[in-house]
């Protein structure tokens, strides 16, 4: 990811205080990311189970060819292994991975999310326990497979009005995450957990070490010095947009931002030296805004004063 | 470690970037340690790294607090935020590992969790007894009920009107152990699924859990009526007790765990609904881990001990001993530890 500025949806941000008294920001995972992770995990599980079944069937076929008896001791052993492996995979896959140091299944890892203990309002952050992981996963089947089975069987009329009522009732479980702010499913409520984003960005370069930040262009040798009025037109929001453009380094974007700033502050834009100009403007604007912060003055964007 | 020139700090013209550059080496070291812990390669961590982790975490956290107040470098703050969060998960993560968890679980954690839900166990027990009585009474009044209460795969020979000999034969033993482990695996898988369902449905205020308990026990009551009609009550009880004392106990606990969750949702008491439910859920999950373990034991007993041990009194002895063992383990074991805990 080159755009190192992560566009967090402010609606999903939650501040949690750690035992040291530091405010950590958790971002509740989007429902789409969770659904994607869920699909991926079940694909992995299903393909794994099918592969295992074929493997066992293949070995069993070999056995039958050897001694002809389907209920031999070895054949029975294979049957037992298959039954237990199925149970373990179905119930243990999520528990084992979510108990790991990343708190995520392969699907969740791919979606960049993880399971964490939910902090009660007014209480500090809590650690994720084994009991919580077990609890949230024991509810998995009634939240998805029971509704799906009932929804498929209810319209056939075989089960009558009770089937329809059951389908509606279990649909409530399935849609539970859409009726609360933290997108909790029933398993999360029972376990005291939530699913949060777990991005792993790279530490980007410090922008003010770039040569252009000193105000002198390497290309033309021109010195860019901006007056107070030139810098006063923008706020933190525009600064961050500029930061993103500089970090992406897309020439077309650089040129258009360069033109926009020049128009705003009444400079006559040249061409070919956009980067040095923007680096200088960025450094001086940030210096001005950070100076203001030290005195408790903040300017959120170009509309605030 | 830093790939910057040594004069990079002087080269930075912004105060906030100089702050960042002077601490960057510590942050990067913390990130390396955290990354190795996340991939589970704990053995590759040196002792110094393990010792340095808490200090590095605190340094990074206070850097984050300072940066939020003094820096407008959004990318650096976002990176630092994610680093501190990742480090927090490792510093406060579940670091005991599976073996230590299991030791704590078997060495008293399970017993304490079971004792903590005793009111729910009493409720579940009452419902189960009511279910068995109801099953008996229903079948005693109208034999047609037998067919709806007892699942059809069990009705091979054990049907109303069957003779004493046929029923006795159904309680008989197998001559060898062949085929029994497959049976055991199937039984375990089936019973564990029913128990997990009984627990999970506790989320609906425990009502479906009660219905499952009633239904399962009504089946038992109907079968009890059938065997009692031919004067085989003791033989049936002995046949059932080998695995039944473990299995029924496990179903009792699974039902109680579901009721516990449902009850704390319906009546959270003085606490807020969500924390109360979560606390109950974690307690119940501990019990459920124990239930799965008990069902493994029950399946082994059912498939081997019951089919191979034929004498009524031997069967009663095994069943009774198992019941005593579970009672002692859950209600007498680890009492002093729980006093220290509370």
């Amino acid at each position: 990811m080159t755009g190192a500025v992560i566009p967090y949806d402010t609606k999903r941000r939650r501040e949690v205080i750690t035992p040291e008294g530091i405010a950590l920001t958790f971002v509740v995972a989007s429902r789409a990311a969770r659904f994607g992770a869920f699909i991926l995990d079940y694909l992995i599980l299903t393909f794994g189970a099918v592969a295992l079944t074929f493997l066992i069937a293949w070995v069993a076929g070999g056995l039958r060819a050897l001694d002809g008896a389907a209920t031999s001791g070895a054949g029975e052993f294979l049957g037992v292994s298959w039954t237990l492996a199925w149970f373990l995979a179905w119930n243990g896959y999520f528990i084992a991975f979510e108990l790991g140091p990343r708190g995520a299944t392969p699907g969740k890892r791919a979606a960049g999310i993880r399971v964490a203990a939910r902090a009660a309002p007014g209480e500090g952050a809590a650690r994720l326990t084994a009991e919580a992981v077990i609890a949230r996963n024991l509810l998995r089947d009634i939240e998805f497979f029971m509704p799906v089975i009932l929804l498929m069987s209810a319209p056939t009329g075989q089960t009558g009005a009770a089937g329809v009522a059951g389908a509606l009732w279990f649909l409530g479980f399935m849609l539970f995450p859409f009726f609360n702010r933290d997108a909790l499913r029933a398993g999360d409520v029972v376990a005291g957990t939530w699913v949060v984003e777990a991005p792993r960005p790279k530490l980007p370069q410090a922008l003010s070490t770039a040569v252009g930040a000193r105000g002198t262009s390497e290309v033309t040798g021109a010195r860019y010095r901006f007056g107070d009025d030139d810098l006063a037109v923008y706020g933190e929001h525009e600064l961050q947009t500029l930061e993103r453009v500089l970090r992406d380094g897309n020439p077309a974007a650089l040129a258009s931002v360069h033109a926009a700033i020049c128009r705003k502050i009444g400079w006559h834009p040249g061409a070919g030296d956009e980067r040095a100009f923007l680096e200088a403007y960025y450094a001086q604007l940030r210096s001005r805004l950070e100076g203001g912060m030290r005195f408790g003055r903040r300017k959120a964007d170009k509309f605030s004063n | 470690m830093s790939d910057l020139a040594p004069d990079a700090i002087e080269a930075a013209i912004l105060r906030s970037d100089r702050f960042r550059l002077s601490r960057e080496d510590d942050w990067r070291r913390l990130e390396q340690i955290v990354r190795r812990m996340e991939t589970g390669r704990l053995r590759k961590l040196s002792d110094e790294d393990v010792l340095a982790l808490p200090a590095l975490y605190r340094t990074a956290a206070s850097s984050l607090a300072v940066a939020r107040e003094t820096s407008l470098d959004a990318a650096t703050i976002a990176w630092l935020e994610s680093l501190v969060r990742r480090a927090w998960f490792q510093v406060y993560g579940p670091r005991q590992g599976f073996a230590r968890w299991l030791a704590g679980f078997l060495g008293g954690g399970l017993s304490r969790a079971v004792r903590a839900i005793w009111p729910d166990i009493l409720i579940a027990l009452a419902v189960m007894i009511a279910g068995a009585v109801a099953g008996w009474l229903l079948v005693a009044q109208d034999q047609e009920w037998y067919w709806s209460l007892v699942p059809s795969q069990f009705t091979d020979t054990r049907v109303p009107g069957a003779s004493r000999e046929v029923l006795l034969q159904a309680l008989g033993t197998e001559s060898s152990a062949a085929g029994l482990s497959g049976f055991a695996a199937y039984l375990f898988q089936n019973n564990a699924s029913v128990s997990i369902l009984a627990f999970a449905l506790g989320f609906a205020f425990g009502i479906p859990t009660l219905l499952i308990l009633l239904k399962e026990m009504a089946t038992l009551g109907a079968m009890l009526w059938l065997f009692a009609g031919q004067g085989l009550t003791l033989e049936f009880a002995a046949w059932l007790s080998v695995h039944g004392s473990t299995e029924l106990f496990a179903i009792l606990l699974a039902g109680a765990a579901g009721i516990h969750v449902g009850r704390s949702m319906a009546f959270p008491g003085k606490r807020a609904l969500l924390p109360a439910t979560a606390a109950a859920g974690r307690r119940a999950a501990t019990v459920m881990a124990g239930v799965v373990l008990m069902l493994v034991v029950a399946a082994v007993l059912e498939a081997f001990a019951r089919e191979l041990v034929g004498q009524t009194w031997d069967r009663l002895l095994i069943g009774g001993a198992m019941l005593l063992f579970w009672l002692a383990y859950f209600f007498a074991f680890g009492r002093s530890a729980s006093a220290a805990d509370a």
Side-chain angles (χ1 to χ4, degrees):
Chain A
M1 202 162 86
T2 49
V5 182
I6 294 143
Y8 281 158
D9 187 341
T10 45
K11 267 177 147 177
R12 294 192 277 126
R13 289 177 75 112
R14 306 278 182 275
E15 289 258 296
V16 170
I17 311 295
T18 70
E20 297 85 17
I22 293 147
L24 275 187
T25 308
F26 284 86
V27 182
V28 175
S30 72
R31 295 172 183 97
R34 293 181 67 178
F35 190 67
F38 171 83
I39 297 288
L40 194 58
D41 280 325
Y42 273 102
L43 281 179
I44 295 173
L45 255 180
T46 310
F47 276 105
V50 169
L52 181 75
T53 306
F54 272 117
L55 183 74
I56 287 180
W58 178 67
V59 174
L63 277 177
R64 209 161 295 145
L66 273 180
D67 60 15
T71 53
S72 66
E76 186 180 341
F77 173 76
L78 283 178
V80 172
S81 311
W82 186 82
T83 311
L84 293 186
W86 183 251
F87 179 82
L88 268 184
W90 203 248
N91 292 286
Y93 173 89
F94 286 90
I95 295 177
F97 277 114
E98 287 177 4
L99 274 179
R102 276 200 203 145
T105 55
K108 285 198 180 68
R109 226 180 280 170
I113 57 180
R114 65 164 290 151
V115 179
R118 188 174 66 238
E123 286 173 37
R127 71 176 70 197
L128 184 65
T129 58
E131 290 75 31
V133 172
I134 294 173
R136 79 186 296 279
N137 285 306
L138 287 185
L139 262 71
R140 213 168 258 288
D141 280 359
I142 67 159
E143 284 178 72
F144 185 75
F145 290 100
M146 296 251 310
V148 165
I149 290 168
L150 281 167
L151 281 178
M152 285 193 300
S153 66
T156 63
Q158 273 179 354
T159 43
V164 176
L168 288 177
W169 167 261
F170 280 102
L171 205 59
F173 280 96
M174 203 176 191
L175 300 179
F176 200 86
F178 294 93
F179 293 112
N180 64 84
R181 210 166 85 86
D182 289 341
L184 306 177
R185 60 177 184 82
D188 286 317
V189 172
V190 164
T193 55
W194 58 6
V195 180
V196 293
E197 288 187 358
R200 305 171 74 197
K202 288 222 157 55
L203 178 59
Q205 276 289 321
L207 281 174
S208 78
T209 55
V211 181
R214 304 199 148 268
T216 313
S217 166
E218 271 183 321
V219 182
T220 60
R223 287 183 59 79
Y224 296 108
R225 278 269 160 249
F226 300 95
D228 238 18
D229 291 346
D230 298 336
L231 297 172
V233 293
Y234 288 127
E236 292 175 16
H237 177 73
E238 291 76 23
L239 181 76
Q240 284 173 8
T241 311
L242 181 53
E243 175 185 346
R244 212 152 41 220
V245 169
L246 281 172
R247 289 197 195 283
D248 284 350
N250 174 4
L254 285 173
S256 76
V257 171
H258 174 242
I261 293 177
C262 285
R263 203 163 49 243
K264 186 96 178 173
I265 63 179
W267 283 38
H268 296 292
D273 200 26
E274 287 88 356
R275 187 161 188 104
F277 172 89
L278 291 177
E279 277 173 356
Y281 192 85
Y282 172 81
Q284 290 172 36
L285 176 60
R286 197 169 127 196
S287 170
R288 181 191 148 89
L289 290 171
E290 286 178 354
M293 278 168 87
R294 280 196 289 277
F295 297 103
R297 288 194 306 270
R298 297 196 75 152
K299 182 173 164 62
D301 54 33
K302 61 185 174 188
F303 304 111
S304 51
N305 44 33
Chain B
M1 285 217 272
S2 169
D3 49 356
L4 292 161
D7 58 351
I9 296 174
E10 286 80 54
I13 61 160
L14 288 169
R15 218 204 252 208
S16 54
D17 274 353
R18 287 201 291 275
F19 168 83
R20 171 194 145 163
L21 291 167
S22 64
R23 281 158 184 78
E24 206 177 299
D25 284 349
D26 277 350
W27 300 349
R28 285 187 189 278
R29 183 169 171 215
L30 176 63
E31 197 204 11
Q32 266 179 11
I33 296 175
V34 168
R35 190 186 306 141
R36 260 176 278 160
M37 292 180 79
E38 281 176 343
T39 46
R41 285 178 295 176
L42 280 173
R43 248 170 268 141
K44 285 198 178 166
L45 282 181
S46 66
D47 290 349
E48 295 135 59
D49 282 346
V50 174
L51 286 175
L53 175 66
L56 287 171
Y57 159 68
R58 261 174 233 120
T59 310
S62 77
S63 296
L64 173 62
V66 173
R68 275 179 183 153
E69 295 309 314
T70 62
S71 174
L72 286 174
D73 185 351
T76 302
I77 293 179
W79 180 83
L80 206 48
E81 239 171 34
S82 87
L83 173 64
V84 172
R85 204 167 42 225
R86 284 163 67 191
W88 180 82
F89 279 125
Q90 297 308 322
V91 173
Y92 289 98
R95 304 231 277 152
Q96 47 184 359
F98 181 72
R100 288 234 344 246
W101 176 81
L102 190 67
F105 170 77
L106 293 176
L110 174 58
S111 304
R112 276 194 295 281
V114 169
R115 281 198 296 274
I117 64 168
W118 67 268
D120 309 286
I121 295 179
L122 288 185
I123 296 172
L125 185 63
V127 170
M128 285 172 78
I129 292 172
V133 171
W136 175 299
L137 290 179
L138 282 174
V139 183
Q141 277 177 3
D142 182 357
Q143 283 195 10
E144 285 305 303
W145 274 102
Y146 191 87
W147 306 105
S148 44
L149 285 179
V150 179
S152 55
Q153 76 251 32
F154 292 148
T155 53
D156 37 353
T157 56
R158 295 171 278 174
V159 292
S163 70
R164 193 171 194 273
E165 287 65 39
V166 171
L167 289 177
L168 246 183
Q169 205 186 4
L171 303 181
T173 51
E174 298 273 335
S175 51
S176 83
L180 292 182
S181 52
F183 185 52
Y186 163 77
L187 288 171
F188 162 70
Q189 203 262 351
N190 185 54
N191 292 335
S193 302
V194 171
S195 301
I196 290 173
L197 191 67
F199 163 72
L201 287 172
F203 190 78
F205 299 106
I207 294 159
T209 305
L210 298 178
L211 295 180
I212 288 181
L213 291 182
L214 273 176
K215 165 80 177 62
E216 293 287 309
M217 292 307 288
T219 307
L220 187 71
M223 287 179 72
L224 198 59
W225 169 84
L226 175 66
F227 284 91
Q230 295 292 350
L232 291 170
T233 314
L234 186 67
E235 283 80 358
F236 179 72
W239 173 82
L240 185 70
S241 77
V242 174
H243 79 289
S245 56
T246 302
E247 187 184 85
L248 292 177
F249 208 147
I251 290 174
L252 171 73
L253 291 181
I259 294 168
H260 186 64
V261 171
R263 206 168 52 98
S264 60
M265 288 182 71
F267 311 105
K270 282 177 193 157
R271 305 184 64 188
L273 175 66
L274 283 181
T277 306
R282 287 195 286 257
R283 215 173 291 130
T286 311
V287 175
M288 285 307 295
V291 166
V292 171
L293 206 68
M294 288 173 81
L295 287 172
V296 174
V297 175
V300 171
L301 284 172
E302 177 160 15
F304 292 97
R306 188 178 76 186
E307 303 289 336
L308 298 175
V309 178
Q311 292 303 306
T312 299
W313 291 107
D314 290 347
R315 285 175 165 177
L316 275 177
L317 194 66
I318 296 175
M322 287 313 295
L323 182 64
L324 275 181
F325 168 75
W326 293 120
L327 283 173
Y329 178 62
F330 289 137
F331 295 103
F333 179 66
R335 282 230 166 247
S336 51
S338 74
D341 233 36

